[in-house]
């Protein structure tokens, strides 16, 4: 059975990183952007990281410029922005594509494992995204593509995808599931 440990990605300097390095850890894999309405989630992600990191939790940050060109700049510029503005300490990788023919193989795999999870319509941005995406493609909800920045995939200690969270998901819901997986 294929797991995320079968993939190698590039760190922000272009070096190969095998995801086997994260064996036996709970992971949250996130596609991010520095100029997005969801960018303040970096603060929430860093709090999750600080809370759970010492117990075997890691966040893997993959900047992506596919949604409204909201991740401009170089890998170093993005990294410095996140460190300066949000104090992030979790690993950041090379900017990637998450959809289309040029999508990072890891993301092709993640989308095969968990399709679109639906918006939390109580979030103020959810209706805006739903309206915008529905105009572009009335059947967008049926497709596994990543819909926007800050989509998150939760990976268990065996390298299997446990859950997909859209950017409108409450961070407390994600934290509860992380806690559950760390305690298994």
């Amino acid at each position: 059975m294929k797991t995320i440990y079968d993939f190698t990605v590039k760190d922000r300097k272009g070096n190969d990183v095998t995801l086997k390095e994260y064996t036996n850890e709970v992971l949250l894999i996130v596609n991010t952007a520095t100029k997005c309405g969801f960018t303040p989630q970096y603060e929430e992600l860093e709090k999750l990281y600080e809370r759970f990191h010492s117990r075997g939790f890691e966040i893997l940050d993959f900047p992506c410029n596919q949604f409204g060109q909201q991740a401009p700049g170089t890998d170093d510029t993005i990294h410095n922005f996140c460190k300066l503005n949000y104090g992030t300490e979790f690993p950041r990788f090379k900017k990637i594509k998450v959809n289309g023919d040029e999508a990072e193989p890891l993301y092709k795999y993640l989308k095969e494992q968990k399709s679109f999870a639906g918006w939390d319509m109580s979030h103020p941005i959810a209706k805006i995204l739903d309206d915008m995406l529905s105009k572009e493609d009335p059947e967008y909800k049926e497709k596994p593509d990543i819909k926007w920045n800050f989509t998150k995939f939760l990976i268990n200690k065996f390298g299997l995808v446990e859950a997909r969270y859209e950017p409108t998901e409450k961070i407390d819901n994600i934290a509860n599931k992380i806690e559950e997986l760390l305690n298994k």
Side-chain angles (χ1 to χ4, degrees):
M1 180 192 316
K2 197 171 207 177
T3 70
I4 65 144
Y5 305 139
D6 294 312
F7 294 92
T8 298
V9 294
K10 299 274 187 199
D11 70 11
R12 66 188 175 83
K13 298 291 186 189
N15 301 308
D16 284 346
V17 176
T18 174
L19 295 183
K20 286 180 186 144
E21 288 182 23
Y22 298 103
T23 300
N24 297 320
E25 294 189 49
V26 173
L27 305 175
L28 192 65
I29 299 175
V30 189
N31 65 293
T32 60
T34 54
K35 306 281 186 212
C36 176
F38 292 110
T39 300
Q41 285 189 16
Y42 270 121
E43 187 174 338
E44 294 176 326
L45 291 170
E46 181 58 26
K47 285 179 184 173
L48 277 181
Y49 186 73
E50 291 169 7
R51 178 176 168 190
F52 295 120
H53 181 65
S54 66
R55 293 175 54 201
F57 172 70
E58 196 68 70
I59 295 173
L60 307 184
D61 176 356
F62 289 90
C64 176
N65 201 34
Q66 282 187 289
F67 306 100
Q69 305 299 299
Q70 295 178 345
T74 66
D75 294 309
D76 283 337
T77 302
I78 291 168
H79 179 71
N80 292 335
F81 171 89
C82 294
K83 295 280 287 179
L84 179 66
N85 292 286
Y86 297 101
T88 58
E89 293 295 329
F90 47 83
R92 188 159 298 103
F93 294 84
K94 197 149 197 57
K95 193 186 312 185
I96 62 166
K97 292 188 177 176
V98 296
N99 291 331
D101 292 339
E102 296 177 24
E104 180 69 33
L106 170 64
Y107 265 83
K108 290 179 181 180
Y109 168 78
L110 294 171
K111 294 182 298 184
E112 287 170 3
Q113 302 307 301
K114 296 286 180 190
S115 197
F116 178 59
W119 305 115
D120 174 351
M121 293 310 283
S122 70
H123 192 287
I125 300 178
K127 176 126 178 56
I128 295 165
L129 284 171
D130 184 52
D131 289 347
M132 179 184 71
L133 294 170
S134 292
K135 284 178 186 159
E136 290 174 16
D137 179 2
E139 296 176 5
Y140 84 92
K141 291 178 185 176
E142 311 308 316
K143 298 175 181 158
D145 283 351
I146 305 298
K147 308 305 179 203
W148 208 253
N149 305 307
F150 289 89
T151 299
K152 300 158 193 78
F153 290 89
L154 186 60
I155 313 300
N156 68 24
K157 293 177 184 179
F158 305 103
L160 302 173
V161 181
E162 283 280 334
R164 173 175 167 166
Y165 300 103
E166 303 308 325
T168 55
E169 184 72 34
K170 290 176 180 64
I171 206 75
D172 288 346
N173 295 342
I174 300 169
N176 291 339
K177 187 68 176 176
I178 292 167
E179 181 79 47
E180 178 187 315
L181 292 177
L182 286 170
N183 288 332
K184 281 189 176 179

